Amino acid sequence: MPHDFYMQAALDEAQRGRNEGGVPIGCVLVKNGEIVGAGHNRRVQKSSAILHGEMDALEATGRQPGAWYKDVTLYTTLSPCAMCSGAILLYGIPRVVIGENTSFMGEEAHLAERGVELTVLDDAACKQLMADFMRDSPELWNEDIGT
């Protein structure tokens, strides 16, 4: 499947988060061409300190041995923060496809230094969703990124 298919699934997750009153960031994990985990930022919905989209998708994937992640690709609508990048490195996820990094530049340099293959799609729909959210809910956005 092309990147567009999986990124659309991540974007659908992000929109779910927005519809629930949360931060619109979504993520899917893909293994052998199949989505094995999907999630969206649910910090607001679950009153959680850590449920970013990537963390929620990892949680939805369930407990797996470390070697299981060696052929997983993580698709996320926004550049991964330090926490989510740490989880990517911890589990040895080798590939990350990022919808956009204009709204927020996460730890891409650190991931690349550690050998993670990064692809930035510069996706217009991902950018628009975040721009709308940042305009409409700046206090929530600032809370989510720790400012």
Side-chain angles (χ1 to χ4, degrees), residues 1 3 5 9 18-20 25 31 34-35 37 51-52 56 60-62 69 83-84 98 105 116 122-123 127 133:
M1 292 282 182
H3 290 312
F5 176 82
R18 173 84 177 185
N19 294 346
E20 294 169 357
I25 301 169
K31 183 177 176 77
E34 179 181 335
I35 295 174
L51 274 181
H52 282 188
D56 192 42
T61 301
Y69 294 96
M83 174 179 65
C84 296
I98 299 164
M105 173 61 76
V116 177
D122 199 31
D123 184 87
K127 284 179 166 181
F133 172 73

Side-chain angles (χ1 to χ4, degrees), residues 89 107-118:
L89 294 173
E107 300 296 320
E108 293 176 33
H110 183 59
L111 289 170
E113 286 171 3
R114 297 285 300 274
V116 177
E117 177 188 325
L118 301 174

Side-chain angles (χ1 to χ4, degrees), residues 5-110:
F5 176 82
Y6 301 116
M7 188 53 66
Q8 184 59 55
L11 192 55
D12 291 345
E13 285 290 328
Q15 188 60 57
R16 275 188 201 94
R18 173 84 177 185
N19 294 346
E20 294 169 357
V23 181
I25 301 169
C27 178
V28 297
L29 277 68
V30 176
K31 183 177 176 77
N32 300 323
E34 179 181 335
I35 295 174
V36 294
H40 53 275
N41 186 306
R42 296 192 305 155
R43 289 185 69 249
V44 172
Q45 300 91 312
K46 295 285 187 174
S47 192
S48 169
I50 62 169
L51 274 181
H52 282 188
E54 297 90 339
M55 303 300 275
D56 192 42
L58 284 164
E59 183 70 16
T61 301
R63 182 177 169 201
Q64 302 293 340
W68 184 87
Y69 294 96
K70 299 302 181 206
D71 60 353
V72 165
T73 300
L74 182 145
Y75 286 80
T76 182
T77 58
L78 189 64
S79 185
C81 73
M83 174 179 65
C84 296
S85 293
I88 290 164
L89 294 173
L90 177 67
Y91 292 112
I93 296 171
R95 287 172 306 285
V96 175
V97 180
I98 299 164
E100 66 107 342
N101 61 7
T102 303
S103 301
F104 175 78
M105 173 61 76
E107 300 296 320
E108 293 176 33
H110 183 59

